Amino acid sequence: MSITLLGVIAGIFTSCSFIPQAYKVIKTKRTSDISIPMYCLCTVGVFLWIIYGLLIKDIAVLLTNIVTFIPTVIILILTVKYHVQTKLKQ
Amino acid sequence: MSITLLGVIAGIFTSCSFIPQAYKVIKTKRTSDISIPMYCLCTVGVFLWIIYGLLIKDIAVLLTNIVTFIPTVIILILTVKYHVQTKLKQ
């Protein structure tokens, strides 16, 4: 297996990894065990990677981070939303 | 701000993002809202990035992924452990 192919496979695994979590959050509407600081850091980090990909004009950095950004933002928004709803009910 | 510095900051954000989730899981011992497929994909992906970093001898790829690997493995192991314990109780 070529080294580049290994990098591509690694990128696919890490980029797609947030999709099952976003699906679970949408389906169950439960997020109390999910860390809000994690998704704040992650969303900002991935957004910076997208800017970085644009600046260095690297399509691989750009695409993998756009794939990561979408589920990450969904998880962050829903986790904050359900957290606020739970606090308001108390 | 230089483009390289932007990449370094992005890397720090995404690499460290799993640390608050690992801390929350260790502290609360609750993982029912966490997606096991996410952490399977992520752990394998980050492990492949470490191998990739070793093969291309890139210290940045290697270090950032080792920082990500440790909390990711902790989250995966504890999520699977508590999931099995919950199933056995039912």
Side-chain angles (χ1 to χ4, degrees):
Chain A
M1 187 165 64
S2 77
I3 295 176
T4 307
L5 182 63
L6 180 69
V8 170
I9 295 170
I12 291 170
F13 270 77
T14 47
S15 295
C16 295
S17 65
F18 289 90
I19 297 171
Q21 181 69 73
Y23 175 75
K24 188 178 170 92
V25 166
I26 293 166
K27 196 176 155 209
T28 65
K29 294 186 170 59
R30 285 203 344 247
T31 56
S32 61
D33 301 338
I34 291 172
S35 163
I36 293 175
M38 167 177 169
Y39 284 93
C40 288
L41 283 169
C42 199
T43 304
V44 173
V46 174
F47 181 75
L48 293 178
W49 277 125
I50 292 172
I51 305 290
Y52 181 78
L54 283 170
L55 290 174
I56 66 164
K57 296 181 177 67
D58 186 315
I59 193 78
V61 172
L62 196 60
L63 279 185
T64 52
N65 283 289
I66 289 171
V67 170
T68 314
F69 189 69
I70 299 164
T72 308
V73 166
I74 292 171
I75 297 164
L76 178 63
I77 292 171
L78 291 179
T79 304
V80 171
K81 182 187 164 188
Y82 298 142
H83 182 79
V84 170
Q85 282 179 349
T86 308
K87 288 279 167 195
L88 287 175
K89 276 181 193 165
Q90 285 170 353
Chain B
M1 187 164 67
S2 77
I3 296 175
T4 307
L5 182 63
L6 180 70
V8 170
I9 295 169
I12 291 171
F13 269 78
T14 47
S15 295
C16 295
S17 66
F18 289 90
I19 297 171
Q21 181 69 72
Y23 175 76
K24 188 178 172 89
V25 166
I26 292 166
K27 196 176 154 209
T28 64
K29 294 186 169 62
R30 288 206 339 250
T31 57
S32 62
D33 302 337
I34 290 171
S35 164
I36 293 174
M38 166 177 169
Y39 284 92
C40 289
L41 282 170
C42 198
T43 304
V44 173
V46 174
F47 181 75
L48 294 178
W49 276 126
I50 292 171
I51 305 291
Y52 180 78
L54 283 170
L55 290 173
I56 65 165
K57 297 182 178 65
D58 185 315
I59 193 77
V61 172
L62 195 60
L63 279 185
T64 53
N65 283 289
I66 289 171
V67 170
T68 315
F69 189 69
I70 299 164
T72 308
V73 165
I74 292 171
I75 298 164
L76 178 63
I77 291 171
L78 291 179
T79 304
V80 171
K81 182 187 165 189
Y82 298 141
H83 181 79
V84 171
Q85 282 179 349
T86 308
K87 287 280 167 196
L88 287 174
K89 276 182 194 165
Q90 285 169 353

